[in-house]
């Protein structure tokens, strides 16, 4: 009987040892195939099989030293512990955190008809106008609702310290300084009669008409009881054009006083006024008097806007806000001119005749359209660097590697990808390579946008480990002029619409929420 029992135990030991060898061998094959095929299920199977194999080996080693039930429990426990130890760290290491953990603010997902306005400044508030008429302000401290109707014009001051709400007959200026908020969290508000033209250095410039008499006035926001000055104005209601947005070179209808502020959500820092006798003039916000020369004559077909300076400007005059005009001849030829304090900085040669849309942005003029006699549309730019119009990037871009995608273009920079798997920024005027960053891999699918001097770029993440999530994307938020990355994150979540914001930030929609990301 004893010999029979020993034989049976020896047989079980051999059986378990064989099972251990087989399971461990299969585990090794699964691990090799998982790395080769980048299959997570094989990597998990390898961990489970290895744990089971080591548990079977333990049963073979323990033999008669423990009762059968105790041996089985010990082996099963060891198998579970080892399987968890071999799989859990790998799963945790490849897990991607949700983007919401990196967000400084979160709002309900942006939908069709919702509009976002931002300034090219760090930490400046972001204005969101919903299609239903509601509005919100976002910053690093959270979200604040804005009391306004769908018909009101809302515009940020160029320095982000105030929000202007214009109803047509009156103008309310809301201070955005959180330390000055009312007890219920509201905005300290000062109300004026008239239509806002500009807000510069704490002075609000207004136009108001009563009984057919129109005047312009300037109010110091620190002492708003009485105007600093009042001058006679015209009854003409012609306004400037939105900076940074494409408009037809020849307007089909005159731009209204508030059209630009409604379109780009920013009130100009430079007060501009149209006089039907003289044309366009720039006003001194401290006195209301015209400064410099006439910007454009009353009969000229011109687009005009106050813009931020080029991000690469070195001349102190060019680094200040500029007024751009682009005037169209009868044949469609364009002539662009830049002014500072009413004095001309530069003027372009006439462009080729044609049908154009123009974009006045960061001290430069981008035009897109078709030359007379041509069938293919193209782009040209006028800038401080040369009198002749040229293709964006000029010879500098023509000598670069072939581009595979263009993320975006503005007056200062164009952001593109090339065949070598690089993300690049070029000066829009002369094609100087401003910076170069690697994509996750050559040929990877890339999408993004460029707005307010910030680029948002999404590219596919190449799976390198078996447990890496499928369909993951890398999100980068960076300064378009310098290439400085303010946010880099990887996510397996499905990303919807993205909006680039000034100051190296972005609004990214994930599911039912839109997240404020970046610096």
């Amino acid at each position: 009987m004893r010999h029979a029992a020993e034989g049976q135990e020896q047989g079980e030991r051999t059986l378990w040892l064989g099972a251990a060898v087989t399971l461990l061998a299969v585990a090794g094959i699964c691990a090799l195939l998982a790395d080769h095929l980048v299959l997570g299920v094989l990597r998990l199977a390898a961990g489970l099989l290895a744990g089971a194999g080591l548990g079977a080996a333990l049963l073979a080693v323990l033999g008669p030293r423990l009762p059968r039930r105790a041996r089985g429990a010990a082996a099963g426990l060891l198998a579970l512990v080892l399987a968890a130890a071999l799989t859990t760290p790998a799963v945790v290491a490849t897990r991607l955190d949700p983007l919401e953990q990196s967000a400084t603010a979160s709002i309900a997902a942006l939908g069709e008809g919702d509009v976002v306005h931002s300034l090219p400044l760090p930490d400046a508030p972001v204005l969101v106008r919903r299609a239903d008429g509601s509005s919100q302000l976002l910053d690093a401290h959270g979200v604040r609702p804005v009391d306004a109707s769908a018909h009101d014009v809302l515009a940020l001051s160029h320095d982000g310290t105030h929000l202007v709400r214009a109803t047509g007959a009156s103008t309310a200026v809301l201070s955005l300084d959180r330390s000055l908020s009312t007890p219920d969290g509201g905005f300290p508000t000062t109300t004026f009669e008239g239509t806002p033209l500009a807000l510069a250095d704490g002075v609000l410039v207004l136009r108001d008409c009563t009984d057919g008499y129109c005047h312009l006035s300037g109010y110091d926001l620190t002492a708003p009881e009485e105007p600093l000055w009042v001058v006679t104005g015209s009854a003409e209601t012609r306004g400037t054009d939105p900076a940074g947005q494409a408009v037809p070179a020849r307007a089909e209808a005159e731009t209204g006083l508030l059209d630009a502020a409604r379109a780009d959500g920013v009130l100009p820092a430079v007060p501009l006024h149209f006089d039907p006798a003289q044309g366009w003039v720039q006003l001194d916000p401290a006195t209301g008097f015209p400064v410099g020369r006439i910007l454009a004559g009353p009969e000229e077909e011109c687009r005009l806007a106050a813009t931020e300076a080029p991000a690469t400007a070195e001349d102190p005059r060019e680094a200040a806000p500029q007024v751009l005009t682009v005037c169209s001849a009868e044949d469609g030829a364009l002539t662009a001119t830049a002014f500072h304090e009413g004095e001309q900085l530069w003027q372009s040669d006439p462009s080729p005749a044609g049908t154009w849309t123009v974009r006045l942005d960061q001290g430069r003029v981008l035009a897109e359209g078709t030359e007379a006699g041509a069938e293919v549309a193209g782009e040209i730019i006028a800038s401080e660097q040369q009198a002749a119009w040229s293709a964006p990037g000029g010879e500098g871009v023509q000598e670069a590697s072939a581009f595979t995608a263009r993320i975006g273009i503005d007056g200062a920079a164009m952001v593109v990808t090339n065949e070598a798997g690089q993300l690049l920024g070029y000066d829009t005027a002369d094609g100087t390579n401003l910076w170069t960053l690697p994509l996750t891999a050559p040929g990877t699918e890339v999408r993004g946008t460029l707005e307010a001097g910030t680029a948002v770029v999404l590219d596919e993440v190449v799976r390198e480990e078996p447990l890496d999530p499928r369909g993951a994307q890398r999100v980068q938020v960076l300064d378009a002029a310098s290439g400085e990355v303010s946010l880099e994150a990887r996510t397996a979540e499905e990303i919807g619409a993205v909006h680039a914001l000034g100051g190296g930030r972005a609004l990214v929609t994930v599911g039912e929420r839109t997240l404020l990301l970046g610096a």
Side-chain angles (χ1 to χ4, degrees):
M1 294 291 292
R2 185 168 62 87
H3 291 295
E6 290 177 353
Q8 182 179 359
E9 290 173 356
Q10 184 63 36
E12 290 181 358
R13 182 179 299 173
T14 301
L15 176 63
W16 285 116
L17 187 59
V21 171
T22 302
L23 289 169
L24 291 172
V26 175
I29 294 171
C30 286
L32 290 173
L33 288 175
D35 287 336
H36 180 69
L37 301 176
V38 198
L39 288 176
V41 65
L42 290 178
R43 176 62 182 82
L44 293 173
L48 296 173
L49 290 170
L54 292 173
L58 179 64
L59 283 174
V61 170
L62 291 177
R65 299 176 188 176
L66 293 174
R68 184 184 299 272
R69 182 173 297 178
R71 275 183 285 161
L77 180 61
L78 177 64
L80 288 174
V81 170
L82 289 174
L86 291 170
T87 57
T88 302
V91 172
V92 172
T94 56
R95 179 181 177 274
L96 299 177
D97 295 328
L99 283 177
E100 193 162 8
Q101 292 188 8
S102 304
T104 55
S106 173
I107 58 175
L110 295 174
E112 185 178 355
D114 294 344
V115 181
V116 178
H117 303 294
S118 73
L119 300 163
L121 300 172
D123 303 322
V126 178
L127 174 62
V128 175
R129 301 215 65 176
R130 301 283 187 171
D132 63 6
S134 62
S135 301
Q136 298 165 297
L137 281 172
L138 287 70
D139 58 23
H141 302 287
V143 183
R144 293 186 283 180
V146 178
D147 182 18
S149 73
H151 301 290
D152 293 343
V153 174
L154 292 178
L156 296 163
S157 62
H158 79 287
D159 59 2
T161 59
H162 294 84
L163 178 69
V164 176
R165 181 179 64 222
T167 63
S170 65
T171 297
V173 180
L174 289 63
S175 173
L176 303 185
D177 187 342
R178 285 182 176 268
S179 66
L180 301 178
S181 297
T182 60
D184 61 354
F187 305 96
T189 303
T190 307
T191 303
F192 304 88
E193 293 300 317
T195 302
L197 300 182
L199 176 54
D201 299 325
V203 176
L204 176 67
V205 179
L206 295 164
R207 173 186 178 275
D208 189 27
C209 294
T210 305
D211 298 330
Y213 170 74
C214 296
H215 63 271
L216 307 177
S217 55
Y219 286 85
D220 184 344
L221 294 183
T222 62
E225 295 79 11
E226 296 293 334
L228 293 174
W229 50 265
V230 178
V231 298
T232 300
S234 70
E236 185 73 44
T237 58
R238 187 182 304 185
T240 60
D241 297 296
Q245 298 193 29
V247 294
R250 300 179 70 87
E252 297 179 358
E254 291 183 357
T255 306
L257 284 175
L258 292 174
D259 288 354
R262 186 187 299 276
D264 59 25
V266 179
L267 194 65
V270 179
L272 301 171
H273 175 60
F274 181 79
D275 186 301
Q278 300 183 70
W280 282 102
V281 295
Q282 179 175 337
L283 304 179
D284 181 350
T287 64
F289 295 144
V291 295
R293 53 173 284 186
I294 301 296
L295 306 177
E299 302 301 326
E300 292 183 279
E301 277 285 345
C302 298
R303 292 293 196 172
L304 175 143
T307 78
E308 296 294 330
T312 54
E314 297 179 358
D315 186 319
R317 296 184 307 160
E318 294 178 355
Q322 300 179 11
V323 176
L324 293 177
T325 66
V326 56
C327 299
S328 178
E330 288 294 331
D331 61 359
L334 306 175
T335 301
T337 311
F339 299 89
H340 172 65
E341 299 289 348
E343 298 300 330
Q344 181 177 310
L345 293 175
W346 56 266
Q347 186 174 63
S348 75
D349 294 335
S351 74
T355 303
W356 305 99
T357 60
V358 294
R359 180 177 169 188
L360 290 67
D361 186 40
Q362 299 187 58
R364 295 168 176 173
V365 177
L366 284 161
E368 181 177 3
T370 306
E371 291 186 29
E375 297 181 356
V376 179
E379 293 175 305
I380 51 177
I381 183 171
S383 73
E384 74 285 359
Q385 299 201 10
Q386 62 181 17
W389 292 75
S390 63
E395 295 182 358
V397 167
Q398 294 174 11
E399 296 172 358
S401 299
F403 299 151
T404 54
R406 188 169 84 177
I407 303 302
I409 185 171
D410 62 19
M414 53 192 298
V415 179
V416 298
T417 64
N418 65 13
E419 294 175 337
Q422 295 173 316
L423 180 70
L424 309 101
Y426 290 94
D427 187 295
T428 307
D430 64 10
T432 299
N433 183 201
L434 303 173
W435 49 268
T436 301
L437 294 171
L439 296 172
T440 53
T444 187
E445 184 177 345
V446 182
R447 69 181 177 102
T449 184
L450 170 58
E451 302 167 78
T454 297
V456 183
V457 182
L458 289 77
D459 53 351
E460 293 179 311
V461 175
V462 179
R463 297 178 67 242
E464 298 177 347
E465 299 295 333
L467 294 178
D468 286 341
R470 295 181 181 276
Q473 299 179 81
R474 180 180 65 169
V475 182
Q476 288 189 100
V477 182
L478 52 94
D479 182 83
S482 68
E484 180 180 354
V485 178
S486 58
L487 173 85
E488 180 174 342
R490 300 191 176 207
T491 180
E493 299 170 293
E494 183 176 350
I495 296 178
V498 295
H499 297 267
L501 308 174
R505 298 168 297 163
L507 284 177
V508 177
T509 298
V510 179
E512 299 299 318
R513 306 296 296 175
T514 291
L515 312 175
L516 177 61
L517 303 174

